[in-house]
Amino acid sequence: MKKLVIANWKLNPSSLKDAQKLAASISIKAKNKVVLCPPTIYLSNIQYPNIGSQDCFWQEKGAFTGQVSPLMLKDLKIKYSLVGHSEKRGVGETDEMINAKAKALLAQKITPVICIGFGTTVEHDDLEVTDILKSQLDIDLGGLDSSKVIVAYEPVWAIGTGHNATPEHAEKISIFVKTKYKVPTVLYGGSVNLGNAKSFLQQTNVGGLLVGGASLNAKDFNQIINM
Ligand code: PEP
C-alpha cells in the first residue's frame, strides 16, 4: 500500500538554485506519495507535484509582521503544512497556537501535519509517552475534524540525533493515535535514514515518514520513497 513520505528540508539549502536542484532530483514517480517542504522563501519557485509548508500563521491577513497565512499558501497551491514541529514548540509554540493554525489551514483546504512528541524522553515508557501525546492532541485537535489531519509522531530525542525510536514503538503509538483520535494517517519521524526507513514503512499502522536530514540527500531520499 502507498504510504506518505514528507521531506522537511528545515533551513536548507542556502540558495534557491540549490533548492531547485534538489527538488528536480527527487523522483516524481515514486512508489510512495511524496511531499516536499522547502523553506517558505522558496515555496513559489519549487516545482514538484506535492509541496508543503514547514509552518504557517493562524490569521488570514493583517498586521502580523513576518507571518505567512494559509490563504497565501493556498494561492501558491500548497497542499500540506507542518505545524507543531518540536523545533517550533522549542521556541514557544503552544498547543493552542497549533490548534489555531490547524483550523486556519483546514479552512483553506490545506492538510495540517500536526507534529507531536515534544517533551518525551528516551527513558519514558509507552504509558508516559501516550500521556504526553494525549496532553498535546487533546488541545491540538480540539474542535476540528480529526479525519482531515495527519499526525506525525516525532519523539524529540530522536530528531536529528541518529537515535531513532524502534519501529514497534512507532507502531504502538500510531495505533494509539488512530484509535483514540480517529486520525487516519500517522507518520513516524526522527532520525529516519536509508538503513531504517523500511522497518518503519513495514509497520501496518505507520502511515509513512517525516524525514529531515536524510531528505537533503537525493540519492538516499529517492531510495526511501521507493521502499
Ligand atoms: C524532522 O525534522 O522532522 C526530523 C525528523 O528530522 P531528522 O529526520 O533529521 O531526525
Side-chain angles (χ1 to χ4, degrees), residues 8 10 82 85 87 115 154 158-162 188-193 210-215:
N8 177 14
K10 309 192 190 196
L82 306 180
H85 193 282
E87 287 153 15
C115 303
E154 299 206 299
I159 298 178
T161 60
Y188 168 77
S191 294
V192 169
N193 58 36
L210 179 50
V211 186
S215 70

Side-chain angles (χ1 to χ4, degrees), residues 21 28 70 72 98 120 161 173 180 213 216:
K21 215 170 123 195
I28 53 167
M72 294 166 175
I98 292 159
T120 61
T161 60
I173 298 298
K180 180 156 175 63
L216 296 169

